[in-house]
Amino acid sequence: MSVVAVIPARWGSSRFPGKPLEARVAGVALLQRVWALAKAAPGVGEVLVATDEPRIRDFVEALGGRAVMTDAACRNGTERMHQALARAGLADRPAINVQGDAVLTPPWVVGALARALGEADGADLVTPAVRLGEAAYRRLVEQKRAGQVGGTTVTFDRQGRALYFSKQIIPFLRDIETPLPVFRHIGLYGFRPGALERFVSLEPGPLERAEGLEQLRALENGMTVRVVEVDYRGRTHWSIDSPEDRLVAERLIAEEGELLAAWDGSARHREEEQEKT
């Protein structure tokens, strides 16, 4: 069963209103970039944009994509994803929530989640993480010491099932030994059919409220979350939350190159070709 990629996209943003369309990154609208990257992901059969803004719907349809109108009352992207799948008649399909502002998400990372959703390991959710090298670990330590909140880490068991997610660096390292058992979490989530329905029916628990991490709701309620280790292949993960973030994204693109050759939804790579890049 092919996977649906859902991109929640809303107009309102306190720091960057209208960013799905107004934030043009190296000449291409933010939402268009994310939509094209999702379409290029191996294993993804359909891409939906879930929005409450007619301007976003019209933009996506002009690209030849599919947009689903959702209620403005949706509290977050997960609820918007759930409603969009139901209204599109796709609630029985495995689905991946692709962040609408994660403009540098490699298609092979989304593809890794699509592949994991096709494996019969029984996990309710799948989510990616990157193992940190020593240099990246020390940078993250310094960022935390400086008071930066960004950067979530995750621990998991030998079967890859998540044990805990935290804004702190976990596990605590008494000694530095390589490879480091420290994994930085990437905020993409794949849900098996039925798991998303259950997830949105649950209320936030004390751990989710304490950390401000929605994924802890699954663990607090006994849902299984499989962590998929991915390799960014020398590329930098980046999201756009402010106009300044757009400039950083453009600098990274200039340094690392574009992920796709075209942004019209036609750049479709076979998985075996991506593995060679």
Side-chain angles (χ1 to χ4, degrees), residues 26-41:
V28 182
L30 170 63
L31 179 57
Q32 183 173 349
R33 283 181 171 272
V34 177
W35 171 79
L37 290 168
K39 284 186 66 68

Side-chain angles (χ1 to χ4, degrees), residues 36-211:
L37 290 168
K39 284 186 66 68
V44 171
E46 186 163 0
V47 178
L48 298 181
V49 174
T51 187
D52 58 358
E53 173 54 56
R55 285 172 289 185
I56 291 177
R57 177 201 59 201
D58 295 345
F59 178 82
V60 172
E61 292 178 349
L63 291 174
R66 185 178 181 185
V68 179
M69 293 298 293
T70 56
D71 296 339
C74 290
R75 294 177 294 180
N76 51 49
T78 308
E79 290 188 0
R80 200 171 299 285
M81 171 190 186
H82 173 255
Q83 191 174 91
L85 287 167
R87 291 183 175 180
L90 298 172
D92 61 343
R93 298 266 291 276
I96 299 172
N97 185 332
V98 179
Q99 292 184 8
D101 55 10
V103 70
L104 299 183
T105 303
W108 61 84
V109 170
V110 180
L113 291 191
R115 185 166 58 249
L117 284 170
E119 297 171 358
D121 65 354
D124 298 303
L125 288 76
V126 297
T127 192
V130 176
R131 185 190 291 269
L132 296 185
E134 186 173 346
Y137 167 74
R138 294 190 185 279
R139 284 196 300 271
L140 185 58
V141 168
E142 290 305 314
Q143 290 167 5
K144 295 297 183 183
R145 285 175 178 167
Q148 295 185 25
V149 177
T152 298
T153 56
V154 59
T155 56
F156 46 90
D157 67 15
R158 291 180 181 272
Q159 285 71 49
R161 293 171 298 201
L163 297 171
Y164 195 68
F165 297 85
S166 182
K167 288 292 187 180
Q168 297 290 337
I169 300 175
I170 55 174
F172 169 78
L173 297 185
R174 186 177 299 276
D175 299 300
I176 302 295
E177 296 182 1
T178 55
L180 298 179
V182 181
F183 289 80
R184 186 162 185 164
H185 177 238
I186 306 298
L188 300 171
Y189 302 93
F191 293 84
R192 296 189 190 280
L196 180 59
E197 180 76 29
R198 182 186 175 197
F199 184 87
V200 299
S201 73
L202 299 169
E203 291 299 320
L207 296 178
E208 177 183 350
R209 292 194 298 269
E211 294 263 12

Side-chain angles (χ1 to χ4, degrees), residues 247-266:
L247 300 178
V248 175
E250 291 184 332
R251 176 178 59 78
L252 290 170
I253 290 170
E255 294 172 353
E256 300 173 2
E258 291 281 18
L259 282 161
L260 297 179
W263 300 101
D264 59 0
S266 65

